[in-house]
């Protein structure tokens, strides 16, 4: 319902505004490899893939899903 409404981008911009006041130098996140909408959003905000965790997320049907680990420098 909330996809393609700009909510994710607004949340990401708010996060980065808060992090400007933090000593953090790098931000990491993880996302399911099949979540193409999230991968696209994170890519637009400068996140790059730094690793993956195969079989990390359990799915309701019992199949495992890979998590993509992404990072972005804050400095």
């Amino acid at each position: 319902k909330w996809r393609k409404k700009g909510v994710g981008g607004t949340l990401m911009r708010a996060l980065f505004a808060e992090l400007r006041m933090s000593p953090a130098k790098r931000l990491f996140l993880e996302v399911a490899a099949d979540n193409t909408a999230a991968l696209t959003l994170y890519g637009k905000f400068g996140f790059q893939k730094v690793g993956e965790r195969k079989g990390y997320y359990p799915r309701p049907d019992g199949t495992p899903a890979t998590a993509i680990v992404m990072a972005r420098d804050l400095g």
Side-chain angles (χ1 to χ4, degrees), residues 1-16 37-38 41-42 45:
K1 172 179 168 177
W2 293 103
R3 283 190 179 180
K4 303 286 185 185
K5 305 266 192 241
V7 175
T10 298
L11 290 170
M12 292 297 287
R13 285 187 288 281
L15 171 65
F16 291 130
L41 174 69
Y42 299 143
F45 280 90

Side-chain angles (χ1 to χ4, degrees), residues 19 23-28 48-50 70-75:
L19 287 172
K25 303 286 184 218
R26 198 161 198 216
L27 181 62
F28 290 86
Q48 295 182 336
K49 180 180 174 180
V50 295
M70 302 181 86
R72 178 190 189 273
D73 289 336
L74 297 173

Side-chain angles (χ1 to χ4, degrees), residues 3 29 31-32 35-44 70:
R3 283 190 179 180
L29 60 82
V31 59
N35 189 342
T36 55
L39 288 165
T40 299
L41 174 69
Y42 299 143
K44 287 179 182 178
M70 302 181 86

Side-chain angles (χ1 to χ4, degrees), residues 41-73:
L41 174 69
Y42 299 143
K44 287 179 182 178
F45 280 90
F47 284 89
Q48 295 182 336
K49 180 180 174 180
V50 295
E52 64 180 53
R53 297 177 176 142
K54 294 191 184 291
Y56 188 72
Y57 296 118
R59 298 288 190 200
D61 67 359
T63 60
T66 296
I68 302 296
V69 181
M70 302 181 86
R72 178 190 189 273
D73 289 336

